[in-house]
Amino acid sequence: MKSRENLVRLKQFQVSEKRRQLMQLDMMIAEFDRMATELEVQIVAEEKKAGITDMNHFAYPTFAKAARLRRDNLKNSQFDLAQQKSAAESILAEAEAELSKAEMLESRDSKMRETGTDGRNAMIG
């Protein structure tokens, strides 16, 4: 049955697409973490250069304030991506289960075709 083969191919495509999306989320989370770490290093360096670590001090470096804000935004985005990742993982598990079902149906259908028990062959007696 061609329709079952097409269904299996469709499900395989969906699973591979979900895996790609999950990998992309992982890469974005890692990149945001790397950027936040770099900003933290820059903040510490700027504070050390200015000799002021109190954000409320009137002479606190403007660059350090901006870098802190950027770092905090990256951390928030990282948290949002982690939530998206957990949702994507459950969607991937669903897609893999559907693929497994479709493959089992295709396997059953191909066995039926091979043995000729699909109802098309009648006994001639």
Side-chain angles (χ1 to χ4, degrees), residues 1-2 4-5 102-118 120:
M1 287 192 158
K2 284 287 189 192
R4 293 247 199 255
E5 291 172 10
E103 287 173 338
M104 285 190 286
L105 287 172
E106 172 58 27
S107 174
R108 185 192 69 188
D109 288 351
S110 67
K111 285 180 185 175
M112 289 175 69
R113 282 192 300 268
E114 289 172 5
T115 59
T117 59
D118 61 357
R120 286 186 242 163

Side-chain angles (χ1 to χ4, degrees), residues 2 4 12 22 39 41 45 51 53 68 79 110:
K2 284 287 189 192
R4 293 247 199 255
Q12 287 172 338
L22 196 59
L39 284 170
V41 169
T53 58
R68 277 185 185 277
F79 178 75
S110 67

Side-chain angles (χ1 to χ4, degrees), residues 47-59:
E47 288 176 347
K48 188 175 182 180
K49 186 169 75 172
I52 302 169
T53 58
D54 181 16
M55 278 187 57
N56 296 321
H57 191 277
F58 72 93

Side-chain angles (χ1 to χ4, degrees), residues 76-89:
N76 290 336
S77 296
Q78 196 175 4
F79 178 75
D80 292 343
L81 287 174
Q83 289 179 328
Q84 287 179 23
K85 180 184 171 190
S86 65
E89 286 170 340

Side-chain angles (χ1 to χ4, degrees), residues 5 8 18 20 23-24 37 68 74 76 78 84 96 106 108 122 124:
E5 291 172 10
V8 170
K18 299 302 178 195
R20 186 193 61 77
M23 191 170 50
Q24 212 171 22
T37 302
R68 277 185 185 277
L74 284 169
N76 290 336
Q78 196 175 4
Q84 287 179 23
E96 286 173 338
E106 172 58 27
R108 185 192 69 188
I124 301 175

